[in-house]
Amino acid sequence: GEYSHCMLMFDHHGSGCETVSPELLRTKKIGELSKNGWQSQNVDVIVIKPELDIWMFGSKPAIHLARELETTPRSIKNFLQSHHFIKTGQWKPSEPKEALESTLRYCRRAYSSSIFETVAKRASFTNCCDPAFNRFVETLRKWFPQRPHPISIC
């Protein structure tokens, strides 16, 4: 075929399958892809709980989000607490998309893919504890291992 790998990635929230655990949903979708001809070692399914926007609220991405919005992580956290997106002692909101949209409005910024791009380029995701993100990274590393660059001697 034309493609050698297949990755299906989607938000658990809004999937229509919120009553099914992300793990079971992943297993079911892998089974469906396998039935359609994909080899199991070349397919993976990433179910992000609750939704992709949660990745913007990790400790390192949040620092770069604050810089991008020309504010501080503390200011964002205070805003999220005062608007009941997070409780004291939390950083990640249970409704991350709504929290991010409200934060952007608060900072007078439009919801834009460029914000995600800037944060992704600057932030280190080392020590990230989000299971979906870690599965995503592990799968890409397994499928596309880094190859050493050939050394050219002049």
Side-chain angles (χ1 to χ4, degrees):
E2 187 176 343
Y3 302 100
S4 60
H5 298 88
C6 174
M7 181 179 285
L8 174 62
M9 181 184 291
F10 60 93
D11 295 340
H12 189 246
H13 180 77
S15 68
C17 299
E18 290 91 344
T19 58
V20 178
S21 74
E23 296 78 19
L24 180 57
L25 188 54
R26 176 180 178 271
T27 301
K28 288 173 71 173
K29 294 299 178 185
I30 288 174
E32 291 172 15
L33 290 166
S34 295
K35 285 180 187 174
N36 284 297
W38 285 99
Q39 295 178 354
S40 61
Q41 71 271 18
N42 294 338
V43 68
D44 204 353
V45 174
I46 311 297
V47 182
I48 305 166
K49 185 173 181 173
E51 52 200 357
L52 179 64
D53 306 76
I54 196 71
W55 293 352
M56 295 294 279
F57 293 99
S59 61
K60 293 175 185 173
I63 292 168
H64 294 286
L65 174 63
R67 285 184 188 153
E68 180 67 13
L69 299 179
E70 299 175 356
T71 187
T72 64
R74 170 63 49 203
S75 176
I76 291 175
K77 189 170 186 173
N78 290 342
F79 171 80
L80 293 172
Q81 285 176 340
S82 68
H83 287 80
H84 308 289
F85 285 109
I86 59 173
K87 296 176 183 161
T88 303
Q90 286 183 320
W91 177 247
K92 292 188 176 188
S94 58
E95 298 286 336
K97 184 174 185 170
E98 291 79 3
L100 182 58
E101 289 171 345
S102 290
T103 301
L104 293 172
R105 280 193 300 276
Y106 168 72
C107 294
R108 295 187 168 100
R109 295 289 298 274
Y111 194 94
S112 166
S113 61
S114 66
I115 292 170
F116 288 92
E117 179 182 9
T118 300
V119 171
K121 283 181 178 177
R122 293 181 181 163
S124 166
F125 292 92
T126 305
N127 300 323
C128 177
C129 60
D130 184 271
F133 182 80
N134 289 333
R135 175 171 296 286
F136 171 67
V137 171
E138 288 169 19
T139 299
L140 291 178
R141 286 185 176 146
K142 180 177 74 175
W143 288 349
F144 310 104
Q146 287 186 340
R147 294 183 179 91
H149 298 289
I151 299 172
S152 59
I153 301 175
C154 300

mmCIF file of all heavy atoms in Angstrom, residues 37-82:
data_model
loop_
_atom_site.group_PDB
_atom_site.id
_atom_site.type_symbol
_atom_site.label_atom_id
_atom_site.label_comp_id
_atom_site.label_asym_id
_atom_site.label_seq_id
_atom_site.Cartn_x
_atom_site.Cartn_y
_atom_site.Cartn_z
ATOM 1 N N GLY A 37 -7.263 -4.413 7.501
ATOM 2 C CA GLY A 37 -6.032 -4.727 6.794
ATOM 3 C C GLY A 37 -4.745 -4.167 7.360
ATOM 4 O O GLY A 37 -3.672 -4.434 6.834
ATOM 5 N N TRP A 38 -4.828 -3.378 8.423
ATOM 6 C CA TRP A 38 -3.610 -2.830 9.011
ATOM 7 C C TRP A 38 -2.939 -3.888 9.881
ATOM 8 O O TRP A 38 -3.603 -4.555 10.678
ATOM 9 C CB TRP A 38 -3.913 -1.592 9.846
ATOM 10 C CG TRP A 38 -4.200 -0.393 9.007
ATOM 11 C CD1 TRP A 38 -5.420 0.105 8.680
ATOM 12 C CD2 TRP A 38 -3.242 0.438 8.372
ATOM 13 N NE1 TRP A 38 -5.288 1.204 7.886
ATOM 14 C CE2 TRP A 38 -3.952 1.434 7.673
ATOM 15 C CE3 TRP A 38 -1.857 0.441 8.314
ATOM 16 C CZ2 TRP A 38 -3.328 2.421 6.940
ATOM 17 C CZ3 TRP A 38 -1.225 1.434 7.574
ATOM 18 C CH2 TRP A 38 -1.949 2.406 6.903
ATOM 19 N N GLN A 39 -1.629 -4.014 9.756
ATOM 20 C CA GLN A 39 -0.873 -4.933 10.606
ATOM 21 C C GLN A 39 -0.734 -4.307 11.991
ATOM 22 O O GLN A 39 -0.465 -3.113 12.115
ATOM 23 C CB GLN A 39 0.501 -5.204 10.005
ATOM 24 C CG GLN A 39 0.437 -5.923 8.679
ATOM 25 C CD GLN A 39 1.815 -6.126 8.088
ATOM 26 O OE1 GLN A 39 2.815 -5.643 8.593
ATOM 27 N NE2 GLN A 39 1.853 -6.870 6.980
ATOM 28 N N SER A 40 -0.893 -5.133 13.021
ATOM 29 C CA SER A 40 -0.943 -4.609 14.389
ATOM 30 C C SER A 40 0.293 -3.807 14.772
ATOM 31 O O SER A 40 0.190 -2.825 15.506
ATOM 32 C CB SER A 40 -1.179 -5.735 15.387
ATOM 33 O OG SER A 40 -0.129 -6.680 15.320
ATOM 34 N N GLN A 41 1.473 -4.194 14.290
ATOM 35 C CA GLN A 41 2.687 -3.453 14.651
ATOM 36 C C GLN A 41 2.777 -2.095 13.946
ATOM 37 O O GLN A 41 3.598 -1.263 14.303
ATOM 38 C CB GLN A 41 3.956 -4.282 14.375
ATOM 39 C CG GLN A 41 4.287 -4.472 12.911
ATOM 40 C CD GLN A 41 3.633 -5.707 12.298
ATOM 41 O OE1 GLN A 41 2.681 -6.259 12.843
ATOM 42 N NE2 GLN A 41 4.145 -6.134 11.166
ATOM 43 N N ASN A 42 1.917 -1.862 12.970
ATOM 44 C CA ASN A 42 1.953 -0.613 12.209
ATOM 45 C C ASN A 42 0.753 0.288 12.477
ATOM 46 O O ASN A 42 0.485 1.213 11.711
ATOM 47 C CB ASN A 42 2.038 -0.907 10.715
ATOM 48 C CG ASN A 42 3.347 -1.559 10.339
ATOM 49 O OD1 ASN A 42 4.330 -1.435 11.065
ATOM 50 N ND2 ASN A 42 3.362 -2.263 9.237
ATOM 51 N N VAL A 43 0.036 0.013 13.554
ATOM 52 C CA VAL A 43 -1.137 0.818 13.875
ATOM 53 C C VAL A 43 -1.121 1.167 15.361
ATOM 54 O O VAL A 43 -0.643 0.392 16.184
ATOM 55 C CB VAL A 43 -2.442 0.064 13.489
ATOM 56 C CG1 VAL A 43 -2.662 -1.142 14.367
ATOM 57 C CG2 VAL A 43 -3.640 0.972 13.529
ATOM 58 N N ASP A 44 -1.598 2.347 15.687
ATOM 59 C CA ASP A 44 -1.800 2.715 17.083
ATOM 60 C C ASP A 44 -2.954 3.698 17.157
ATOM 61 O O ASP A 44 -3.265 4.399 16.185
ATOM 62 C CB ASP A 44 -0.552 3.318 17.715
ATOM 63 C CG ASP A 44 -0.543 3.149 19.237
ATOM 64 O OD1 ASP A 44 -1.566 2.692 19.801
ATOM 65 O OD2 ASP A 44 0.470 3.471 19.866
ATOM 66 N N VAL A 45 -3.580 3.728 18.310
ATOM 67 C CA VAL A 45 -4.694 4.631 18.566
ATOM 68 C C VAL A 45 -4.378 5.389 19.844
ATOM 69 O O VAL A 45 -4.024 4.790 20.865
ATOM 70 C CB VAL A 45 -6.030 3.855 18.703
ATOM 71 C CG1 VAL A 45 -7.156 4.778 19.117
ATOM 72 C CG2 VAL A 45 -6.359 3.139 17.397
ATOM 73 N N ILE A 46 -4.474 6.692 19.769
ATOM 74 C CA ILE A 46 -4.203 7.563 20.913
ATOM 75 C C ILE A 46 -5.527 8.238 21.287
ATOM 76 O O ILE A 46 -6.087 8.987 20.487
ATOM 77 C CB ILE A 46 -3.151 8.648 20.569
ATOM 78 C CG1 ILE A 46 -1.911 8.057 19.898
ATOM 79 C CG2 ILE A 46 -2.820 9.478 21.795
ATOM 80 C CD1 ILE A 46 -1.115 7.103 20.727
ATOM 81 N N VAL A 47 -6.016 7.949 22.487
ATOM 82 C CA VAL A 47 -7.248 8.563 22.979
ATOM 83 C C VAL A 47 -6.838 9.563 24.055
ATOM 84 O O VAL A 47 -6.342 9.167 25.108
ATOM 85 C CB VAL A 47 -8.229 7.511 23.538
ATOM 86 C CG1 VAL A 47 -9.527 8.185 23.987
ATOM 87 C CG2 VAL A 47 -8.510 6.432 22.498
ATOM 88 N N ILE A 48 -7.015 10.831 23.767
ATOM 89 C CA ILE A 48 -6.580 11.894 24.682
ATOM 90 C C ILE A 48 -7.714 12.203 25.648
ATOM 91 O O ILE A 48 -8.818 12.539 25.234
ATOM 92 C CB ILE A 48 -6.185 13.155 23.900
ATOM 93 C CG1 ILE A 48 -5.128 12.820 22.856
ATOM 94 C CG2 ILE A 48 -5.703 14.237 24.857
ATOM 95 C CD1 ILE A 48 -4.926 13.905 21.818
ATOM 96 N N LYS A 49 -7.406 12.075 26.952
ATOM 97 C CA LYS A 49 -8.418 12.332 27.969
ATOM 98 C C LYS A 49 -8.059 13.572 28.763
ATOM 99 O O LYS A 49 -6.961 13.624 29.317
ATOM 100 C CB LYS A 49 -8.553 11.128 28.903
ATOM 101 C CG LYS A 49 -9.667 11.290 29.892
ATOM 102 C CD LYS A 49 -9.902 10.049 30.688
ATOM 103 C CE LYS A 49 -11.065 10.328 31.632
ATOM 104 N NZ LYS A 49 -11.483 9.167 32.339
ATOM 105 N N PRO A 50 -8.911 14.557 28.854
ATOM 106 C CA PRO A 50 -10.186 14.586 28.165
ATOM 107 C C PRO A 50 -10.071 15.036 26.704
ATOM 108 O O PRO A 50 -10.807 14.584 25.854
ATOM 109 C CB PRO A 50 -11.013 15.569 28.975
ATOM 110 C CG PRO A 50 -10.017 16.527 29.559
ATOM 111 C CD PRO A 50 -8.770 15.707 29.769
ATOM 112 N N GLU A 51 -9.116 15.966 26.420
ATOM 113 C CA GLU A 51 -8.968 16.477 25.058
ATOM 114 C C GLU A 51 -7.581 17.080 24.876
ATOM 115 O O GLU A 51 -6.874 17.356 25.834
ATOM 116 C CB GLU A 51 -10.063 17.500 24.736
ATOM 117 C CG GLU A 51 -10.195 18.600 25.752
ATOM 118 C CD GLU A 51 -11.540 19.311 25.719
ATOM 119 O OE1 GLU A 51 -12.376 18.996 24.868
ATOM 120 O OE2 GLU A 51 -11.748 20.193 26.566
ATOM 121 N N LEU A 52 -7.205 17.278 23.621
ATOM 122 C CA LEU A 52 -5.862 17.705 23.254
ATOM 123 C C LEU A 52 -5.384 18.941 24.015
ATOM 124 O O LEU A 52 -4.222 19.036 24.398
ATOM 125 C CB LEU A 52 -5.788 17.980 21.744
ATOM 126 C CG LEU A 52 -4.453 18.470 21.203
ATOM 127 C CD1 LEU A 52 -3.375 17.417 21.392
ATOM 128 C CD2 LEU A 52 -4.569 18.831 19.737
ATOM 129 N N ASP A 53 -6.264 19.868 24.272
ATOM 130 C CA ASP A 53 -5.880 21.119 24.929
ATOM 131 C C ASP A 53 -5.252 20.915 26.302
ATOM 132 O O ASP A 53 -4.555 21.787 26.806
ATOM 133 C CB ASP A 53 -7.103 22.039 25.048
ATOM 134 C CG ASP A 53 -7.776 22.248 23.708
ATOM 135 O OD1 ASP A 53 -8.481 21.331 23.245
ATOM 136 O OD2 ASP A 53 -7.564 23.303 23.108
ATOM 137 N N ILE A 54 -5.454 19.741 26.910
ATOM 138 C CA ILE A 54 -4.872 19.459 28.227
ATOM 139 C C ILE A 54 -3.347 19.549 28.174
ATOM 140 O O ILE A 54 -2.703 19.899 29.162
ATOM 141 C CB ILE A 54 -5.349 18.085 28.780
ATOM 142 C CG1 ILE A 54 -5.067 17.975 30.275
ATOM 143 C CG2 ILE A 54 -4.708 16.923 28.042
ATOM 144 C CD1 ILE A 54 -5.921 18.826 31.139
ATOM 145 N N TRP A 55 -2.766 19.245 27.011
ATOM 146 C CA TRP A 55 -1.310 19.271 26.883
ATOM 147 C C TRP A 55 -0.736 20.676 27.056
ATOM 148 O O TRP A 55 0.431 20.831 27.371
ATOM 149 C CB TRP A 55 -0.879 18.666 25.554
ATOM 150 C CG TRP A 55 -1.150 17.195 25.448
ATOM 151 C CD1 TRP A 55 -1.592 16.352 26.443
ATOM 152 C CD2 TRP A 55 -0.998 16.376 24.300
ATOM 153 N NE1 TRP A 55 -1.728 15.068 25.973
ATOM 154 C CE2 TRP A 55 -1.370 15.049 24.650
ATOM 155 C CE3 TRP A 55 -0.583 16.615 22.990
ATOM 156 C CZ2 TRP A 55 -1.343 13.993 23.757
ATOM 157 C CZ3 TRP A 55 -0.565 15.552 22.109
ATOM 158 C CH2 TRP A 55 -0.932 14.261 22.484
ATOM 159 N N MET A 56 -1.549 21.698 26.892
ATOM 160 C CA MET A 56 -1.076 23.073 27.075
ATOM 161 C C MET A 56 -0.913 23.428 28.552
ATOM 162 O O MET A 56 -0.312 24.436 28.882
ATOM 163 C CB MET A 56 -2.056 24.061 26.431
ATOM 164 C CG MET A 56 -2.145 23.925 24.935
ATOM 165 S SD MET A 56 -0.619 24.377 24.108
ATOM 166 C CE MET A 56 -0.792 26.151 24.078
ATOM 167 N N PHE A 57 -1.437 22.608 29.431
ATOM 168 C CA PHE A 57 -1.415 22.921 30.859
ATOM 169 C C PHE A 57 -0.409 22.094 31.643
ATOM 170 O O PHE A 57 -0.436 22.100 32.870
ATOM 171 C CB PHE A 57 -2.823 22.794 31.452
ATOM 172 C CG PHE A 57 -3.770 23.832 30.912
ATOM 173 C CD1 PHE A 57 -4.653 23.525 29.891
ATOM 174 C CD2 PHE A 57 -3.746 25.119 31.408
ATOM 175 C CE1 PHE A 57 -5.516 24.479 29.372
ATOM 176 C CE2 PHE A 57 -4.597 26.090 30.894
ATOM 177 C CZ PHE A 57 -5.489 25.770 29.885
ATOM 178 N N GLY A 58 0.491 21.396 30.970
ATOM 179 C CA GLY A 58 1.598 20.750 31.655
ATOM 180 C C GLY A 58 2.517 21.830 32.192
ATOM 181 O O GLY A 58 2.478 22.982 31.749
ATOM 182 N N SER A 59 3.374 21.522 33.141
ATOM 183 C CA SER A 59 4.192 22.561 33.783
ATOM 184 C C SER A 59 5.096 23.296 32.794
ATOM 185 O O SER A 59 5.162 24.517 32.796
ATOM 186 C CB SER A 59 5.006 21.982 34.921
ATOM 187 O OG SER A 59 5.887 20.987 34.438
ATOM 188 N N LYS A 60 5.791 22.559 31.923
ATOM 189 C CA LYS A 60 6.704 23.223 30.986
ATOM 190 C C LYS A 60 5.949 23.923 29.857
ATOM 191 O O LYS A 60 6.258 25.073 29.542
ATOM 192 C CB LYS A 60 7.729 22.235 30.462
ATOM 193 C CG LYS A 60 8.670 21.774 31.568
ATOM 194 C CD LYS A 60 9.615 20.706 31.117
ATOM 195 C CE LYS A 60 10.441 20.207 32.298
ATOM 196 N NZ LYS A 60 11.254 19.067 31.940
ATOM 197 N N PRO A 61 4.951 23.295 29.244
ATOM 198 C CA PRO A 61 4.190 24.024 28.226
ATOM 199 C C PRO A 61 3.509 25.272 28.787
ATOM 200 O O PRO A 61 3.422 26.295 28.107
ATOM 201 C CB PRO A 61 3.159 23.003 27.744
ATOM 202 C CG PRO A 61 3.786 21.685 27.995
ATOM 203 C CD PRO A 61 4.583 21.879 29.269
ATOM 204 N N ALA A 62 3.043 25.206 30.029
ATOM 205 C CA ALA A 62 2.342 26.351 30.622
ATOM 206 C C ALA A 62 3.254 27.569 30.739
ATOM 207 O O ALA A 62 2.807 28.708 30.559
ATOM 208 C CB ALA A 62 1.786 25.980 31.986
ATOM 209 N N ILE A 63 4.525 27.343 31.009
ATOM 210 C CA ILE A 63 5.476 28.460 31.085
ATOM 211 C C ILE A 63 5.564 29.158 29.726
ATOM 212 O O ILE A 63 5.517 30.381 29.639
ATOM 213 C CB ILE A 63 6.869 27.959 31.533
ATOM 214 C CG1 ILE A 63 6.807 27.498 32.985
ATOM 215 C CG2 ILE A 63 7.941 29.034 31.332
ATOM 216 C CD1 ILE A 63 8.018 26.716 33.445
ATOM 217 N N HIS A 64 5.632 28.358 28.666
ATOM 218 C CA HIS A 64 5.747 28.944 27.328
ATOM 219 C C HIS A 64 4.416 29.533 26.855
ATOM 220 O O HIS A 64 4.406 30.510 26.123
ATOM 221 C CB HIS A 64 6.289 27.904 26.355
ATOM 222 C CG HIS A 64 7.691 27.520 26.701
ATOM 223 N ND1 HIS A 64 8.768 28.349 26.472
ATOM 224 C CD2 HIS A 64 8.192 26.419 27.308
ATOM 225 C CE1 HIS A 64 9.871 27.773 26.912
ATOM 226 N NE2 HIS A 64 9.553 26.601 27.426
ATOM 227 N N LEU A 65 3.316 28.945 27.299
ATOM 228 C CA LEU A 65 2.007 29.531 26.995
ATOM 229 C C LEU A 65 1.923 30.914 27.624
ATOM 230 O O LEU A 65 1.512 31.871 26.973
ATOM 231 C CB LEU A 65 0.881 28.638 27.529
ATOM 232 C CG LEU A 65 -0.535 29.203 27.411
ATOM 233 C CD1 LEU A 65 -0.915 29.414 25.952
ATOM 234 C CD2 LEU A 65 -1.537 28.272 28.100
ATOM 235 N N ALA A 66 2.342 31.033 28.867
ATOM 236 C CA ALA A 66 2.312 32.331 29.549
ATOM 237 C C ALA A 66 3.187 33.348 28.812
ATOM 238 O O ALA A 66 2.777 34.492 28.616
ATOM 239 C CB ALA A 66 2.778 32.178 30.996
ATOM 240 N N ARG A 67 4.382 32.928 28.399
ATOM 241 C CA ARG A 67 5.254 33.845 27.643
ATOM 242 C C ARG A 67 4.598 34.288 26.352
ATOM 243 O O ARG A 67 4.655 35.453 25.980
ATOM 244 C CB ARG A 67 6.586 33.171 27.342
ATOM 245 C CG ARG A 67 7.487 33.074 28.520
ATOM 246 C CD ARG A 67 8.827 32.484 28.122
ATOM 247 N NE ARG A 67 9.618 32.226 29.309
ATOM 248 C CZ ARG A 67 10.553 31.306 29.389
ATOM 249 N NH1 ARG A 67 10.837 30.552 28.354
ATOM 250 N NH2 ARG A 67 11.221 31.136 30.514
ATOM 251 N N GLU A 68 3.992 33.333 25.655
ATOM 252 C CA GLU A 68 3.327 33.640 24.388
ATOM 253 C C GLU A 68 2.179 34.630 24.604
ATOM 254 O O GLU A 68 1.916 35.481 23.766
ATOM 255 C CB GLU A 68 2.822 32.351 23.732
ATOM 256 C CG GLU A 68 2.117 32.536 22.427
ATOM 257 C CD GLU A 68 2.993 33.031 21.290
ATOM 258 O OE1 GLU A 68 4.241 33.031 21.400
ATOM 259 O OE2 GLU A 68 2.420 33.441 20.273
ATOM 260 N N LEU A 69 1.510 34.518 25.746
ATOM 261 C CA LEU A 69 0.383 35.405 26.051
ATOM 262 C C LEU A 69 0.822 36.670 26.792
ATOM 263 O O LEU A 69 -0.013 37.451 27.219
ATOM 264 C CB LEU A 69 -0.669 34.647 26.867
ATOM 265 C CG LEU A 69 -1.279 33.429 26.173
ATOM 266 C CD1 LEU A 69 -2.284 32.750 27.087
ATOM 267 C CD2 LEU A 69 -1.920 33.813 24.849
ATOM 268 N N GLU A 70 2.136 36.826 26.954
ATOM 269 C CA GLU A 70 2.722 38.001 27.615
ATOM 270 C C GLU A 70 2.178 38.181 29.037
ATOM 271 O O GLU A 70 1.779 39.265 29.450
ATOM 272 C CB GLU A 70 2.510 39.250 26.764
ATOM 273 C CG GLU A 70 3.172 39.132 25.398
ATOM 274 C CD GLU A 70 2.878 40.297 24.471
ATOM 275 O OE1 GLU A 70 2.088 41.193 24.840
ATOM 276 O OE2 GLU A 70 3.442 40.293 23.363
ATOM 277 N N THR A 71 2.168 37.071 29.765
ATOM 278 C CA THR A 71 1.744 37.099 31.157
ATOM 279 C C THR A 71 2.601 36.088 31.919
ATOM 280 O O THR A 71 3.652 35.685 31.428
ATOM 281 C CB THR A 71 0.224 36.801 31.283
ATOM 282 O OG1 THR A 71 -0.184 37.002 32.634
ATOM 283 C CG2 THR A 71 -0.135 35.407 30.804
ATOM 284 N N THR A 72 2.177 35.699 33.108
ATOM 285 C CA THR A 72 2.949 34.748 33.908
ATOM 286 C C THR A 72 2.113 33.496 34.175
ATOM 287 O O THR A 72 0.877 33.553 34.163
ATOM 288 C CB THR A 72 3.325 35.362 35.276
ATOM 289 O OG1 THR A 72 2.109 35.597 36.009
ATOM 290 C CG2 THR A 72 4.110 36.654 35.103
ATOM 291 N N PRO A 73 2.791 32.372 34.448
ATOM 292 C CA PRO A 73 2.025 31.171 34.825
ATOM 293 C C PRO A 73 1.136 31.418 36.044
ATOM 294 O O PRO A 73 0.011 30.943 36.097
ATOM 295 C CB PRO A 73 3.117 30.135 35.122
ATOM 296 C CG PRO A 73 4.277 30.563 34.291
ATOM 297 C CD PRO A 73 4.216 32.082 34.313
ATOM 298 N N ARG A 74 1.628 32.180 37.015
ATOM 299 C CA ARG A 74 0.839 32.486 38.225
ATOM 300 C C ARG A 74 -0.432 33.252 37.854
ATOM 301 O O ARG A 74 -1.519 32.979 38.374
ATOM 302 C CB ARG A 74 1.701 33.292 39.205
ATOM 303 C CG ARG A 74 0.968 33.881 40.394
ATOM 304 C CD ARG A 74 0.333 32.921 41.375
ATOM 305 N NE ARG A 74 1.203 31.868 41.814
ATOM 306 C CZ ARG A 74 0.752 30.705 42.287
ATOM 307 N NH1 ARG A 74 -0.524 30.464 42.383
ATOM 308 N NH2 ARG A 74 1.587 29.783 42.681
ATOM 309 N N SER A 75 -0.322 34.206 36.942
ATOM 310 C CA SER A 75 -1.493 34.973 36.513
ATOM 311 C C SER A 75 -2.525 34.077 35.843
ATOM 312 O O SER A 75 -3.730 34.197 36.090
ATOM 313 C CB SER A 75 -1.055 36.085 35.561
ATOM 314 O OG SER A 75 -2.171 36.774 35.067
ATOM 315 N N ILE A 76 -2.056 33.156 34.995
ATOM 316 C CA ILE A 76 -2.973 32.217 34.338
ATOM 317 C C ILE A 76 -3.634 31.325 35.381
ATOM 318 O O ILE A 76 -4.848 31.112 35.356
ATOM 319 C CB ILE A 76 -2.235 31.380 33.272
ATOM 320 C CG1 ILE A 76 -1.827 32.276 32.100
ATOM 321 C CG2 ILE A 76 -3.108 30.228 32.798
ATOM 322 C CD1 ILE A 76 -0.984 31.579 31.043
ATOM 323 N N LYS A 77 -2.835 30.818 36.318
ATOM 324 C CA LYS A 77 -3.378 29.938 37.363
ATOM 325 C C LYS A 77 -4.418 30.679 38.205
ATOM 326 O O LYS A 77 -5.485 30.139 38.501
ATOM 327 C CB LYS A 77 -2.255 29.403 38.245
ATOM 328 C CG LYS A 77 -2.718 28.336 39.206
ATOM 329 C CD LYS A 77 -1.555 27.662 39.891
ATOM 330 C CE LYS A 77 -2.047 26.511 40.735
ATOM 331 N NZ LYS A 77 -0.972 25.721 41.297
ATOM 332 N N ASN A 78 -4.134 31.924 38.580
ATOM 333 C CA ASN A 78 -5.088 32.720 39.355
ATOM 334 C C ASN A 78 -6.385 32.928 38.572
ATOM 335 O O ASN A 78 -7.482 32.841 39.134
ATOM 336 C CB ASN A 78 -4.486 34.064 39.747
ATOM 337 C CG ASN A 78 -3.401 33.925 40.787
ATOM 338 O OD1 ASN A 78 -3.288 32.910 41.476
ATOM 339 N ND2 ASN A 78 -2.560 34.943 40.889
ATOM 340 N N PHE A 79 -6.247 33.218 37.279
ATOM 341 C CA PHE A 79 -7.429 33.392 36.437
ATOM 342 C C PHE A 79 -8.252 32.107 36.402
ATOM 343 O O PHE A 79 -9.475 32.127 36.568
ATOM 344 C CB PHE A 79 -7.023 33.798 35.010
ATOM 345 C CG PHE A 79 -8.171 33.784 34.044
ATOM 346 C CD1 PHE A 79 -9.068 34.838 33.999
ATOM 347 C CD2 PHE A 79 -8.371 32.707 33.197
ATOM 348 C CE1 PHE A 79 -10.150 34.817 33.134
ATOM 349 C CE2 PHE A 79 -9.441 32.674 32.320
ATOM 350 C CZ PHE A 79 -10.333 33.733 32.289
ATOM 351 N N LEU A 80 -7.585 30.973 36.182
ATOM 352 C CA LEU A 80 -8.286 29.690 36.109
ATOM 353 C C LEU A 80 -8.991 29.360 37.427
ATOM 354 O O LEU A 80 -10.118 28.858 37.433
ATOM 355 C CB LEU A 80 -7.318 28.576 35.725
ATOM 356 C CG LEU A 80 -6.739 28.645 34.305
ATOM 357 C CD1 LEU A 80 -5.649 27.601 34.128
ATOM 358 C CD2 LEU A 80 -7.830 28.500 33.261
ATOM 359 N N GLN A 81 -8.330 29.669 38.562
ATOM 360 C CA GLN A 81 -8.952 29.420 39.866
ATOM 361 C C GLN A 81 -10.152 30.339 40.087
ATOM 362 O O GLN A 81 -11.208 29.885 40.517
ATOM 363 C CB GLN A 81 -7.936 29.611 40.989
ATOM 364 C CG GLN A 81 -6.947 28.479 41.094
ATOM 365 C CD GLN A 81 -5.877 28.720 42.149
ATOM 366 O OE1 GLN A 81 -5.622 29.852 42.558
ATOM 367 N NE2 GLN A 81 -5.245 27.641 42.576
ATOM 368 N N SER A 82 -9.998 31.614 39.771
ATOM 369 C CA SER A 82 -11.090 32.559 40.016
ATOM 370 C C SER A 82 -12.296 32.303 39.119
ATOM 371 O O SER A 82 -13.409 32.693 39.453
ATOM 372 C CB SER A 82 -10.604 34.005 39.855
ATOM 373 O OG SER A 82 -10.293 34.270 38.499
#
